[in-house]
């Protein structure tokens, strides 16, 4: 067991979280609390190995329900849908030390957990941020594809994880958005249907 104090309360008084699932990687477990604290624990003992105040460090504006996206492990990286300004919309940290490896985009955070997949031999990190589809090179954070896909209603929430079939990404969202299928084609993003 490991306990961390939090003063987090969401805007609607729903509850203080947590919202995201823990991520297990070998002998470590990672948690990303509603207040934006990323914690790395020894899976067997619960001993704290390292911790980062992600939302505070990256000056993330408060969301409606705090952090709700689970950390994703890709090789030696932890990929996070953070939503920070100044190029910290998506952040990759070293999974052993917690140190920042790269940051990318100014996209706001959603509650959607990203996926990582190989498309035509390339490892891609696929995020459905609050602003839409964001596809990056998993290792370096270089943006490969973007597609705006969010509600015009400010009080909305993206929570569904993207689905990838071959080279086509499916996104869905509520608040009068709907769904879209987008092909990650070699010559650019192609809207298959919407």
């Amino acid at each position: 067991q490991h306990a961390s104090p939090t003063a987090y309360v969401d805007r609607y008084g729903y509850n203080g979280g947590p919202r995201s699932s823990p991520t297990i990687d070998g002998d470590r477990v990672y948690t990303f609390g509603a207040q934006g604290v990323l914690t790395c624990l020894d899976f067997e003992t619960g001993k704290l190995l390292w911790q980062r105040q992600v939302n505070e460090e990256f000056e993330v504006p408060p969301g409606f329900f705090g952090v709700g996206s689970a950390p994703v492990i890709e090789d030696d990286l932890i990929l996070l849908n953070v939503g920070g300004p100044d190029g910290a919309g998506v952040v990759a940290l070293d999974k052993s030390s917690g140190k920042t490896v790269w940051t990318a985009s100014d996209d706001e955070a959603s509650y959607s957990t990203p996926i990582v997949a190989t498309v035509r031999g390339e490892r891609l990190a696929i995020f459905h941020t609050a602003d839409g589809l964001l596809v990056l090179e998993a290792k370096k954070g270089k943006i490969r594809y973007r597609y705006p896909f969010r509600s015009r209603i400010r009080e909305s929430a993206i929570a569904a994880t993207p689905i990838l079939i071959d080279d086509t990404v499916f996104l869905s969202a509520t608040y009068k958005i709907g769904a879209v299928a987008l092909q990650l084609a070699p010559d650019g993003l192609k809207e298959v249907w919407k």
Side-chain angles (χ1 to χ4, degrees):
Q1 288 186 341
H2 175 81
S4 294
T6 180
Y8 177 78
V9 177
D10 74 63
R11 287 188 198 183
Y12 301 105
Y14 178 64
N15 70 42
R19 310 261 186 258
S20 68
S21 301
T23 300
I24 299 166
D25 181 54
D27 60 355
R28 293 183 176 211
V29 62
Y30 301 88
T31 63
F32 199 21
Q35 195 168 344
V37 177
L38 180 68
T39 304
C40 175
L41 305 167
D42 179 277
F43 189 43
E44 189 173 331
T45 66
K47 177 185 172 192
L48 176 65
L49 300 176
W50 56 261
Q51 192 172 66
R52 296 259 324 247
Q53 307 286 327
V54 173
N55 278 22
E56 185 180 310
E57 291 173 36
F58 290 103
E59 300 176 355
V60 177
F64 296 113
F65 301 107
V67 171
S69 175
V72 169
I73 304 293
E74 170 64 10
D75 287 334
D76 294 330
L77 300 176
I78 302 169
L79 305 178
L80 298 173
N81 187 353
V82 171
D86 304 319
V90 170
V91 174
L93 307 177
D94 181 276
K95 73 178 185 180
S96 298
S97 66
K99 292 182 179 171
T100 304
V101 176
W102 56 257
T103 62
S105 94
D106 288 320
D107 285 26
E108 292 180 31
S110 69
Y111 305 98
S112 168
T113 297
I115 60 173
V116 183
T118 302
V119 178
R120 285 183 299 281
E122 182 179 29
R123 290 296 281 173
L124 298 175
I126 302 168
F127 287 77
H128 189 180
T129 70
D131 295 301
L133 178 69
L134 179 66
V135 180
L136 311 101
E137 293 177 8
K139 200 75 171 164
K140 306 262 184 186
K142 180 183 176 188
I143 297 172
R144 295 295 311 279
Y145 302 96
R146 302 186 71 100
Y147 182 86
F149 192 69
R150 74 172 293 164
S151 176
R152 290 186 208 139
I153 302 166
R154 175 79 182 118
E155 291 79 17
S156 61
I158 300 290
T161 296
I163 296 171
L164 179 71
I165 300 170
D166 298 324
D167 64 352
T168 301
V169 177
F170 172 79
L171 303 177
S172 67
T174 187
Y175 300 92
K176 301 181 180 179
I177 305 174
V180 66
L182 302 162
Q183 183 187 18
L184 308 178
D187 56 343
L189 198 62
K190 295 190 171 103
E191 191 178 287
V192 179
W193 56 260
K194 185 175 182 181

